[in-house]
Amino acid sequence: MPSLINAPLPPVRHYEAAPLTKERLEYVDLPIIDLSSFTASADPDVRTHLVAQVRSAMAEYGFFYVLNHGLSTAQTERMFDIADIPFSEVDDDEKKKYQSKLKETGTQQGYKPRQYYHIDNGIRDQIEIYALNHDVNKSGHPAVLQPLLPEIERFAYHNHVNVLYPILRLLALGLDLSEDSLVELHKWEDISESYVRYPRSDEEEEKTNNLWLKGHTDIGSLTFLYSQPIAALQIRAKDGSWKWVKHIENAIVVNAGDAIEFLSGGLYSATIHRVVQPPADQRAYTRLGLFYFLKPLSSPFLQRTAECAEAPTMAEWRKGRTKSYGNAELKASAINLGVEEEYLNGVLIKHYV
Ligand SMILES: O=C(O)CCC(=O)C(=O)O
Ligand SMILES: [Fe+2]
């Protein structure tokens, strides 16, 4: 697969990122992993240190930053420019044509329209998503994206092989497994990336207590959120308080999901995170996300045993969660205030408001 810099790139309109907030927010102090120092020939002490750093980041937060991931700031900025195109340069008719069939198929490809998820008090979301499978030919795309598909595919491949694989090796070593055991569960298969944005009205903000996306864990193993300047993402600390995730230029925020929790027998726990209204000085800007979601597919991921006969495979879990997300009937938890619950394949899923 050629590198991102080789080919002459088609011109794209620049997406202007928002300035940083001047408000003092309570940020979480997440560990920063320098991925370039994890090479096969690296000093064994450096490798051991990185393994320990990632293991403690996963145990404590399930969130960490990755720096030196192989894309320059300019290359990452261009991917944000491309991410903006499905929203700002495609009209509503064409968007409808490529609407995703979340409920029918449990897969994400195409546009998730706004108002598809229920948030709170009868208010639905304002999140628009455009999701692609890494095999960009698996579904159709708006005309304006066609010339950019090879570049999008190279970006996905880079994320998969140059960013995901070293992280999975670090995670496997941290579990005392062989170095490639988690890589083998993440073949270059049914992986998607998505582009997201979140605009909303004042009345809706009030009715949902400024909550844009309820506290949740992600479905897959890891999610890469390319850091962007609009503060809105928060993680739930062990004491139940919510802390803001700070923007770091050209960093990837790595987030642990359900699948890595299951695969690691709970040693790496899925992180509860949510999205809220940004601080006042950033509200006039459109928040654009550039995400890469990883889902292990190649093997049954929860073993069916006598004790847990209904344990789902990864594919069943992913499809079930995607279908029900934002639309399942949730019951208030009998024990925990602010927690809503649903069961899927016999597994309790919690949502945090
Ligand atoms: O918008 C963000 O920063 C995070 C979104 C998110 O948590 C998700 O799409 O699962
Ligand atoms: Fe998430």
Side-chain angles (χ1 to χ4, degrees):
M1 185 79 41
S3 98
L4 279 174
I5 352 170
N6 282 349
L9 304 172
V12 286
R13 198 175 60 186
H14 181 53
Y15 164 81
E16 200 56 55
L20 292 172
T21 181
K22 296 203 168 51
E23 274 185 39
R24 290 168 71 90
L25 304 175
E26 209 184 319
Y27 290 111
V28 53
D29 191 16
L30 295 175
I32 299 176
I33 309 295
D34 174 358
L35 210 57
S36 65
S37 58
F38 184 60
T39 56
S41 58
D43 184 321
D45 286 350
V46 173
R47 288 169 64 93
T48 309
H49 170 71
L50 278 170
V51 170
Q53 216 190 349
V54 170
R55 185 168 53 186
S56 87
M58 289 293 279
E60 188 155 354
Y61 303 103
F63 253 71
F64 54 88
Y65 295 99
V66 165
L67 282 181
N68 300 324
H69 45 68
L71 292 187
S72 66
T73 303
Q75 286 173 317
T76 302
E77 275 178 10
R78 179 167 164 96
M79 289 317 300
F80 272 96
D81 294 348
I82 293 176
D84 190 42
I85 290 174
F87 309 109
S88 61
E89 292 185 33
V90 179
D91 65 28
D92 287 349
D93 284 346
E94 206 180 2
K95 283 184 182 173
K96 264 208 196 95
K97 196 168 145 202
Y98 296 106
Q99 197 158 307
S100 55
K101 302 201 167 40
L102 288 154
K103 242 182 245 163
E104 295 86 334
T105 62
T107 59
Q108 293 236 355
Q109 290 158 58
Y111 287 94
K112 180 207 81 69
R114 293 176 195 182
Q115 315 254 316
Y116 181 81
Y117 305 142
H118 178 239
I119 303 293
D120 208 12
N121 275 326
I123 299 296
R124 304 190 74 82
D125 73 288
Q126 283 294 351
I127 303 166
E128 206 177 5
I129 301 179
Y130 189 71
L132 301 88
N133 188 279
H134 84 278
D135 175 358
V136 293
N137 299 317
K138 220 169 172 174
S139 58
H141 302 283
V144 67
L145 276 185
Q146 295 294 340
L148 299 162
L149 292 177
E151 202 176 342
I152 293 173
E153 198 166 22
R154 284 198 296 273
F155 174 70
Y157 188 78
H158 169 79
N159 276 277
H160 206 83
V161 172
N162 301 330
V163 188
L164 173 68
Y165 283 177
I167 295 174
L168 289 178
R169 291 191 174 107
L170 287 165
L171 291 175
L173 291 170
L175 293 168
D176 280 335
L177 297 172
S178 69
E179 189 162 325
D180 276 341
S181 52
L182 292 174
V183 167
E184 278 151 22
L185 295 179
H186 291 76
K187 302 244 163 73
W188 174 237
E189 272 170 3
D190 189 31
I191 313 298
S192 68
E193 59 189 303
S194 68
Y195 307 131
V196 185
R197 61 195 214 157
Y198 304 99
R200 231 157 64 155
S201 79
D202 289 350
E203 191 197 345
E204 288 169 332
E205 291 295 355
E206 202 175 310
K207 284 200 180 141
T208 56
N209 213 3
N210 305 338
L211 186 62
W212 283 10
L213 193 59
K214 260 184 208 164
H216 65 281
T217 54
D218 284 1
I219 305 168
S221 46
L222 297 176
T223 303
F224 296 167
L225 308 164
Y226 275 77
S227 187
Q228 54 73 52
I230 301 192
L233 177 63
Q234 297 184 327
I235 72 172
R236 192 169 188 267
K238 293 224 162 86
D239 65 3
S241 65
W242 294 96
K243 300 266 184 321
W244 298 80
V245 175
K246 198 184 175 102
H247 172 54
I248 297 188
E249 190 186 276
N250 202 18
I252 301 175
V253 180
V254 178
N255 157 8
D258 297 337
I260 205 77
E261 177 165 331
F262 292 135
L263 283 170
S264 67
L267 281 173
Y268 297 148
S269 49
T271 309
I272 300 152
H273 55 286
R274 69 177 186 180
V275 182
V276 299
Q277 188 184 38
D281 58 355
Q282 292 187 313
R283 285 183 200 154
Y285 298 89
T286 300
R287 186 166 183 272
L288 179 69
L290 170 61
F291 304 154
Y292 190 63
F293 289 100
L294 282 319
K295 291 150 190 172
L297 264 196
S298 27
S299 73
F301 110 103
L302 283 180
Q303 297 298 327
R304 287 193 161 86
T305 63
E307 301 89 73
C308 190
E310 67 206 314
T313 62
M314 184 60 220
E316 285 163 356
W317 180 255
R318 176 175 57 85
K319 289 194 172 151
R321 281 276 262 143
T322 306
K323 280 182 192 176
S324 76
Y325 190 84
N327 284 292
E329 217 171 295
L330 304 177
K331 290 212 171 71
S333 161
I335 335 166
N336 298 313
L337 198 67
V339 177
E340 295 169 344
E341 302 177 338
E342 65 174 307
Y343 277 90
L344 188 71
N345 299 99
V347 181
L348 173 65
I349 301 170
K350 293 180 183 166
H351 302 263
Y352 298 75
V353 287

